[in-house]
Amino acid sequence: MTREYLKKATLTSASGASDVHDTVVGILSDIEQGGDAKALEYAAKFDRYEGSVMLNADEIEAACALVPEKLKADIRFAHDNVKRFAELQKGTVADVEMEISPGYIAGQKSIPVDAAGCYVPGGRYSHIASAIMTVTTAKVAGCKHITACSPPRPDVGVAPAIVYAAHICGADNILAMGGVQGVAAMTFGLFGLPKANILVGPGNQFVAEAKRILFGRVGIDMIAGPTDSLILADKDADAHIVATDLVSQAEHGYNSPVWLVTDDRDLAEKVMAMVPDLIEDLPELNRDNAFAAWRDYAEVIVCADRVDMAACSDEYAPEHLTVMANDLDWWLENLTCYGSLFLGEETTVSYGDKASGTNHVLPTSGAAGYTGGLSVHKYMKIVTWQRSTPEASKEVAIATARISRLEGMEGHARAADVRLAKYFPGENFDLSANG
């Protein structure tokens, strides 16, 4: 089908991505070899902070005291929603077993990882919600130790609201360290921390690259690129709300793509006319980010009908997907590639980002085509087990021996042979690979 681009992006999320690989490799290597002292050296250089790195109980209490009671109530509200939704998710994973054949039992068991490292951005914006999203889900999953790590500001430290959120959500330690050095400290078990089994949470390109490099020796939630959002809207959508939502997501950063996909050209033109004024009305930092994102990365696409709109959306596989169109059940049934879905104008990505309960750590840059976002499941290992009576093992042993010999794996075959010989003395079995 023909799609008309009323606005086409001149850049993509991969455009201008700096090659930070060598820099990050060097920092990780230095810190792994130099330990605490080298991490502190990088913290002084990049964070420009020389205060307490591991917050003690008194420092946490002092930071929490600086948070206004109204904000504390909002954080507790968001924490409760995220916690209850995470508990719902955990309930979808059960320890199960089945009898493969009489006497032969196989099962599944879910085991949370021991130590989680939660990175909470605190540079351009103080991401209070990221502390809630990452720490809460780790706690619900059952991790034995949770570290919250956030970049401190010079002579200030970690934002008090982040400290409060991490603390009430269940962090065992709060690390005042940002960037690669913070990720390294959690991975290598510096400053008395246990070595993290998994690293979660968003961050800048250096944090993302550190997670990419460390993946394998430690688990990660995902490799996050710039946040992105797509809105599907039909003729009955409120153009002002659509435009406002696009701008609200563009403020994330200069390279945060936002897309409008519609089957109504008139709506598209109204939205495009409104966006510049909405951007201009933002505070300076937000305005600069949103202006660049809209100029370089935004797209407005007119499709023939809703079927093509849905297909277009699935091709983009957006991190955030909002539907402002009639027949919401149809869209829920037919859309398949997104990190989180927001149905109707009564909800918005901002709700999910902050307080409604679903997690805001989501796949970006098209990764929603193959994965979902952060959940309790990311912190859990789904493992299997089996046991058998001697009699029940007979058929499995025979098949194993034959398959192994067909593959040329004689050692595997003999592991089955010896059990057949022990459990069924005097019986003869055809255990050759040939017919």
Side-chain angles (χ1 to χ4, degrees), residues 169-180:
C169 292
D172 296 288
N173 289 106
I174 300 175
L175 182 67
M177 189 170 284
V180 178

Side-chain angles (χ1 to χ4, degrees), residues 63-64 66-68 71-72 75 126-129 131-132 158-168:
C64 291
L66 297 174
V67 182
L71 180 54
K72 285 182 177 178
I75 291 171
S126 292
H127 284 267
I128 301 165
I132 299 171
V158 177
I162 289 178
V163 174
Y164 177 76
H167 179 61
I168 70 160

Side-chain angles (χ1 to χ4, degrees), residues 44-61:
K45 178 180 179 181
F46 294 126
D47 295 331
R48 303 189 306 282
Y49 172 77
E50 297 182 358
S52 297
V53 171
M54 191 69 67
L55 275 62
N56 61 36
D58 290 341
E59 290 166 329
I60 291 172
E61 184 179 351

Side-chain angles (χ1 to χ4, degrees), residues 150-422:
S150 189
R153 293 179 177 174
D155 304 319
V156 175
V158 177
I162 289 178
V163 174
Y164 177 76
H167 179 61
I168 70 160
C169 292
D172 296 288
N173 289 106
I174 300 175
L175 182 67
M177 189 170 284
V180 178
Q181 59 274 20
V183 171
M186 294 189 290
T187 302
F188 304 144
L190 304 185
F191 308 109
L193 294 170
K195 291 182 178 180
N197 301 113
I198 187 169
L199 299 170
V200 302
N204 64 18
Q205 59 186 337
F206 292 93
V207 170
E209 185 61 21
K211 289 168 68 176
R212 186 197 309 272
I213 292 166
L214 291 166
F215 177 59
R217 64 189 296 177
V218 65
I220 63 172
D221 50 356
M222 64 196 76
I223 300 167
T227 191
D228 59 68
S229 299
L230 189 148
I231 295 177
L232 293 163
D234 66 11
K235 64 181 178 61
D236 294 323
D238 185 319
H240 183 256
I241 289 179
V242 172
T244 299
D245 280 8
L246 289 169
V247 171
S248 73
Q249 290 301 299
E251 79 171 349
H252 271 287
Y254 72 92
N255 57 351
S256 294
V258 291
W259 306 292
L260 170 61
V261 177
T262 181
D263 58 359
D264 187 74
R265 185 187 178 96
D266 182 56
L267 173 78
E269 291 176 343
K270 287 179 181 177
V271 170
M272 290 177 65
M274 292 177 178
V275 164
D277 288 340
L278 292 172
I279 291 175
E280 187 61 33
D281 194 45
L282 291 171
E284 183 179 4
L285 173 62
N286 315 63
R287 180 173 67 243
D288 291 346
N289 284 328
F291 175 79
W294 178 256
R295 179 192 64 205
D296 297 332
Y297 294 87
E299 293 188 335
V300 178
I301 307 164
V302 179
C303 295
D305 52 35
R306 71 178 185 178
V307 173
D308 189 39
M309 287 168 63
C312 180
S313 176
D314 280 350
E315 289 169 20
Y316 278 73
E319 176 186 12
H320 309 101
L321 176 56
T322 300
V323 178
M324 297 190 203
N326 292 301
D327 196 0
L328 295 178
D329 288 339
W330 184 90
W331 295 97
L332 180 59
E333 178 68 24
N334 285 276
L335 294 165
T336 62
C337 298
Y338 51 83
S340 194
L341 178 61
F342 301 83
L343 292 162
E345 72 168 41
E346 296 81 7
T347 186
T348 174
V349 175
S350 294
Y351 292 174
D353 277 349
K354 309 303 177 187
S356 62
T358 58
N359 210 287
H360 82 185
V361 181
L362 299 167
T364 63
S365 306
Y370 62 82
T371 189
L374 181 63
S375 69
V376 291
H377 309 123
K378 292 283 186 177
Y379 300 92
M380 303 179 80
K381 302 173 290 185
I382 307 301
V383 298
T384 57
W385 58 268
Q386 56 189 268
R387 65 184 175 199
S388 177
T389 64
E391 182 63 37
S393 73
K394 180 191 287 189
E395 290 185 353
V396 176
I398 293 170
T400 297
R402 290 173 180 168
I403 292 171
S404 297
R405 288 195 168 94
L406 185 63
E407 294 174 337
M409 303 187 75
E410 183 62 25
H412 278 62
R414 292 180 184 181
D417 293 349
V418 295
R419 286 166 171 78
L420 288 168
K422 178 177 180 178

Side-chain angles (χ1 to χ4, degrees), residues 21-93:
H21 178 81
D22 292 344
T23 299
V24 175
V25 166
I27 296 172
L28 289 173
S29 179
D30 281 352
I31 294 176
E32 185 167 21
Q33 293 175 33
D36 293 7
K38 185 58 71 171
L40 290 170
E41 202 176 295
Y42 277 108
K45 178 180 179 181
F46 294 126
D47 295 331
R48 303 189 306 282
Y49 172 77
E50 297 182 358
S52 297
V53 171
M54 191 69 67
L55 275 62
N56 61 36
D58 290 341
E59 290 166 329
I60 291 172
E61 184 179 351
C64 291
L66 297 174
V67 182
E69 287 302 320
K70 185 165 65 174
L71 180 54
K72 285 182 177 178
D74 291 336
I75 291 171
R76 290 193 299 269
F77 171 81
H79 168 239
D80 182 63
N81 288 344
V82 173
K83 178 174 179 286
R84 288 186 296 112
F85 191 80
E87 289 169 342
L88 173 69
Q89 289 181 317
K90 189 177 182 181
T92 66
V93 179

